[in-house]
Amino acid sequence: MIADEKSPAISQDQTANAPEKRLMRAILLFALAGSMLYLTSAAGIGTEDSAELGAGARLLTMVHAPGYPLYLIAGHIAERFSEFPGRGLVLFSVVTGAFSVALLYFLLAPRFGIHSARAGALSLLFSKNFWVIEIPDFAFES
């Protein structure tokens, strides 16, 4: 007797974790995180290091050691989108923060499932330490 050559049954969790659906959920998380961070972001330059880095990015000059050259270059590009000093860096922080939440979900979903990945990404988004680092324009959040 010849055995039936049926394809193995695909579970609902496997179809829910398909790369296209995972990417779409990551994009939705990016939009959610971006809107939450934007609504609570600072209006412009903060104090101390934020002001120094904002000026360094605006004028493309080196600041104190270690200087954060990649951050200053990316910040200089972001500053071109804003007429207010420092606001471009804040928007840059919003985008990189939202991207980190979406990337965490996208990387965790195949290994741990969509529910655990969503819980991990939302835990990062709403954790106090993430907000304290992400909202002002600092070099070490990007």
Side-chain angles (χ1 to χ4, degrees), residues 44-57:
I45 291 182
T47 59
E48 299 173 9
D49 279 350
S50 297
E52 185 178 7
L53 289 169

Side-chain angles (χ1 to χ4, degrees), residues 25-113:
R25 286 187 183 102
I27 291 170
L28 288 173
L29 271 173
F30 176 82
L32 171 73
S35 62
M36 293 290 295
L37 291 170
Y38 179 76
L39 291 173
T40 59
S41 65
I45 291 182
T47 59
E48 299 173 9
D49 279 350
S50 297
E52 185 178 7
L53 289 169
R58 187 99 172 157
L59 302 172
L60 204 55
T61 59
M62 189 57 69
V63 296
H64 69 279
Y68 309 107
L70 184 60
Y71 178 78
L72 291 176
I73 293 170
H76 185 70
I77 294 169
E79 281 290 316
R80 299 217 180 238
F81 296 108
S82 174
E83 59 190 57
F84 302 110
R87 185 66 182 160
L89 286 178
V90 173
L91 296 177
F92 179 65
S93 295
V94 166
V95 170
T96 56
F99 180 75
S100 65
V101 170
L103 182 64
L104 181 67
Y105 170 81
F106 190 77
L107 294 176
L108 289 180
R111 182 167 175 103
F112 299 106

Side-chain angles (χ1 to χ4, degrees), residues 5-25:
E5 292 189 26
K6 292 181 180 179
S7 62
I10 298 175
S11 71
Q12 188 175 6
D13 190 43
Q14 288 174 335
T15 58
N17 206 6
E20 307 86 33
K21 290 185 179 185
R22 200 175 64 200
L23 180 62
M24 188 55 128
R25 286 187 183 102

